C-alpha cells in the first residue's frame, strides 16, 4: 500500500494532477489565404547610389540645411502599398548611405526569396551636406560637399516587406532594424496602422476637455503666442 501511494505521488509530481487524459476532437484553424499578392522578379532590395549622378557639364549643386524637409508629418508616403508589413518613422531625421546598406543587408539575410519580397519606399540620398575641414577660419564661402542624405518626416514608410508570410516571421528583424535607425521608428503591419488610426480618432472624438492644444493656441490663452513657434500654429504641438 505504501509503495502504491508513493508511486502515485511521484506520478503526480512529474505529470500534474490530471494524469488520465483521453483523445478528443481537435479544431485546428484554417490556413491563411494570401490573395492579390504581387510577385517581383527581383524580390531583394536593390543597391541605391551613394552619390546622385549628374550630367558631365553640370557641377553638383549645394543646398541650404532645409530643416523643413524633416519637420512635420508625411502627407504622401504614409500608407503601405501592399497592405502587409513595413517600417515607419515616428520622427524626423536623415538617412545616410550607410543606413541604406544596413537595412538592405539585414533584410537580405532573413528574406526568403521564394515566398517574400521587399521594396524601398524612400529615394536614394539626394540632399548634399557640406562640411569644412578641421581648424579652418570663419568665412571663405560654403564648404565642399561631404555626403548626401535623404530627409525623412514622421509617418514616412521606409521599407515594405510582403509575400506569403505572417507578421511573426518578419517582425523580429524589422524591429532590430528599426532600433538601429538614427530616428524613432517601428515595425508595423496593416492591422497595426489601422488600429493606431482608429485609436487616435477615438481619443479625439471622446475627449471631454474643451481646452485642447488647438483651442489654447488659437485663442492665445495666457499669451502663448509670445513664445510659440510658427510650427506650433501649424500642427498644434503634435510635431516639433
Amino acid at each position: 500500500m505504501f509503495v502504491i501511494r508513493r508511486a502515485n505521488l511521484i506520478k503526480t509530481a512529474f505529470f500534474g494532477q490530471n494524469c488520465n487524459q483521453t483523445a478528443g476532437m481537435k479544431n485546428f484553424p484554417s490556413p491563411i489565404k494570401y490573395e492579390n499578392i504581387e510577385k517581383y522578379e527581383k524580390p531583394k532590395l536593390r543597391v541605391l547610389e551613394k552619390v546622385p549622378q549628374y550630367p558631365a557639364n553640370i557641377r553638383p549643386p549645394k543646398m541650404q540645411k532645409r530643416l523643413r524637409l524633416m519637420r512635420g508629418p508625411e502627407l504622401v508616403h504614409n500608407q503601405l502599398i501592399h497592405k502587409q508589413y513595413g517600417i515607419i518613422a515616428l520622427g524626423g531625421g536623415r538617412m545616410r548611405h550607410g543606413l541604406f546598406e544596413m537595412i538592405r543587408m539585414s533584410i537580405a539575410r532573413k528574406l526568403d526569396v521564394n515566398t517574400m519580397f521587399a521594396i524601398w519606399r524612400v529615394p536614394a540620398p539626394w540632399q548634399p551636406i557640406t562640411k569644412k575641414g578641421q581648424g579652418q577660419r570663419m568665412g571663405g564661402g560654403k564648404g565642399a560637399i561631404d555626403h548626401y542624405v535623404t530627409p525623412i518626416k514622421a509617418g514616412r514608410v521606409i521599407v515594405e516587406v510582403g509575400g506569403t508570410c505572417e507578421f511573426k516571421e518578419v517582425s523580429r528583424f524589422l524591429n532590430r532594424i528599426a532600433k538601429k535607425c538614427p530616428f524613432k521608428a517601428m515595425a508595423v503591419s496593416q492591422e497595426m496602422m489601422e488600429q493606431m488610426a482608429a485609436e487616435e480618432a477615438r481619443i479625439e472624438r471622446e475627449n471631454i476637455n474643451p481646452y485642447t492644444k488647438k483651442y489654447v493656441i488659437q485663442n492665445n490663452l495666457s499669451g502663448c503666442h509670445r513664445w510659440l513657434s510658427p510650427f506650433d500654429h501649424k500642427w498644434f504641438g503634435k510635431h516639433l
Side-chain angles (χ1 to χ4, degrees):
M1 185 68 182
F2 176 75
V3 175
I4 297 175
R5 184 178 179 183
R6 185 174 181 181
N8 291 332
L9 290 175
I10 295 174
K11 187 178 180 182
T12 304
F14 277 94
F15 301 102
Q17 296 292 333
N18 300 324
C19 298
N20 300 323
Q21 297 181 358
T22 57
M25 295 290 294
K26 295 181 175 61
N27 296 323
F28 296 100
S30 58
I32 300 175
K33 296 181 180 180
Y34 298 96
E35 300 176 353
N36 302 324
I37 294 178
E38 299 183 16
K39 292 186 178 180
Y40 289 82
E41 296 180 359
K42 298 181 180 180
K44 293 185 178 182
L45 294 175
R46 61 186 180 90
V47 180
L48 299 180
E49 297 177 347
K50 187 175 183 179
V51 178
Q53 301 298 321
Y54 294 101
N57 59 344
I58 294 180
R59 179 181 296 178
K62 301 176 184 179
M63 294 184 185
Q64 297 175 342
K65 290 184 178 180
R66 296 188 181 181
L67 298 180
R68 63 181 181 274
L69 297 176
M70 299 183 291
R71 288 182 128 166
E74 175 63 40
L75 303 177
V76 180
H77 302 282
N78 54 6
Q79 297 294 330
L80 298 174
I81 295 177
H82 298 281
K83 308 297 181 183
Q84 287 192 281
Y85 324 112
I87 299 176
I88 62 170
L90 302 179
R94 288 171 172 167
M95 293 183 63
R96 299 182 61 165
H97 184 260
L99 182 61
F100 280 97
E101 284 297 294
M102 183 275 294
I103 295 174
R104 184 184 67 84
M105 296 179 66
S106 299
I107 293 180
R109 294 190 189 100
K110 302 295 183 180
L111 195 72
D112 186 0
V113 296
N114 297 321
T115 59
M116 300 161 63
F117 64 88
I119 59 171
W120 290 112
R121 290 295 304 277
V122 289
W126 59 269
Q127 184 184 10
I129 303 297
T130 59
K131 184 179 180 181
K132 285 193 173 184
Q134 187 73 19
Q136 290 192 10
R137 293 177 180 267
M138 296 289 290
K142 196 171 181 62
I145 295 176
D146 183 66
H147 60 276
Y148 289 84
V149 297
T150 299
I152 301 295
K153 289 186 177 182
R156 177 69 184 257
V157 180
I158 300 172
V159 66
E160 274 195 55
V161 177
T164 56
C165 57
E166 298 184 26
F167 186 61
K168 293 181 180 180
E169 301 178 44
V170 300
S171 61
R172 179 173 296 181
F173 64 87
L174 290 182
N175 280 314
R176 191 181 302 116
I177 294 172
K179 291 179 181 179
K180 294 181 181 180
C181 291
F183 45 82
K184 291 184 179 180
M186 66 178 295
V188 296
S189 62
Q190 180 64 24
E191 291 77 11
M192 292 174 61
M193 296 190 69
E194 293 175 357
Q195 290 175 3
M196 289 189 294
E199 181 66 16
E200 185 177 356
R202 184 192 66 82
I203 292 174
E204 185 176 356
R205 182 178 61 254
E206 297 179 359
N207 180 31
I208 60 176
N209 183 11
Y211 295 99
T212 60
K213 288 186 178 180
K214 183 176 181 180
Y215 180 85
V216 170
I217 294 173
Q218 287 180 341
N219 293 275
N220 192 23
L221 297 186
S222 300
C224 60
H225 286 182
R226 292 176 298 176
W227 49 269
L228 288 177
S229 71
F231 299 100
D232 292 320
H233 291 272
K234 187 176 181 180
W235 298 309
F236 305 110
K238 287 187 178 181
H239 303 278
L240 299 177

